[in-house]
């Protein structure tokens, strides 16, 4: 059977844990992950992969170092951070996002 995925159930599975991504669906060698953004993550970059952020609920800023400018996303908006760009997701309110990234990429918050 092909499952239907209910994103509201995935939000409940996160259980209020910021920066603790959970797998929503695997697509070939990629994965769709969901996470709660609350406060600052940490500055980092991905050497070999781009990272797509899609906001389902809330509002977040992806801080980036020069020559890039910060990007603020609201529900229904998305962006792709190119590989090698140092960035730091942050939010003043609880924000739920989907991230599309290689399945092998494993990252968890502190």
């Amino acid at each position: 059977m092909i499952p239907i995925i209910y994103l509201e159930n995935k939000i409940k599975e996160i259980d209020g844990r910021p920066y603790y991504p959970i797998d929503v669906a695997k697509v070939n060698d990629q994965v769709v992950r969901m996470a709660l953004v609350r406060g600052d993550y940490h500055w980092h970059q991905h050497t070999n992969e781009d990272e797509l952020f899609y906001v389902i609920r809330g509002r977040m800023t992806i801080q980036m170092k020069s020559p890039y400018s910060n990007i603020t996303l609201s529900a229904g908006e998305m962006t792709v951070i190119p590989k090698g760009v140092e960035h730091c997701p942050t939010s003043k309110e609880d924000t739920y996002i989907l991230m599309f990234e290689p399945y092998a990429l494993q990252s968890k918050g502190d």
Side-chain angles (χ1 to χ4, degrees):
M1 180 187 323
I2 298 173
I4 296 173
I5 300 164
Y6 296 96
L7 295 180
E8 286 299 319
N9 290 345
K10 294 296 182 179
I11 287 172
K12 290 176 187 170
E13 190 177 324
I14 289 174
D15 195 30
R17 296 173 290 181
Y19 299 107
Y20 190 87
I22 60 168
D23 291 357
V24 173
K26 187 173 179 189
V27 183
N28 301 313
D29 294 332
Q30 298 288 113
V31 65
V32 178
R33 291 191 170 115
M34 181 185 285
L36 166 61
V37 178
R38 182 190 301 148
D40 291 337
Y41 187 49
H42 63 266
W43 286 95
H44 66 286
Q45 63 185 350
H46 305 283
T47 305
N48 299 312
E49 51 276 319
D50 300 334
E51 189 172 20
L52 185 148
F53 292 91
Y54 176 78
V55 176
I56 16 181
R57 183 188 298 167
R59 183 177 170 92
M60 71 177 288
T61 298
I62 301 172
Q63 303 170 96
M64 291 179 281
K65 297 196 175 176
S66 184
Y68 301 96
S69 299
N70 295 347
I71 296 175
T72 299
L73 300 172
S74 297
E77 297 179 328
M78 63 187 250
T79 193
V80 175
I81 304 300
K83 62 185 171 188
V85 174
E86 196 169 2
H87 60 285
C88 176
T90 187
S91 182
K92 294 179 182 176
E93 63 185 85
D94 284 2
T95 300
Y96 290 90
I97 62 170
L98 295 178
M99 297 169 291
F100 295 73
E101 53 197 20
Y103 185 74
L105 180 65
Q106 297 291 324
S107 59
K108 299 257 191 245
D110 299 330

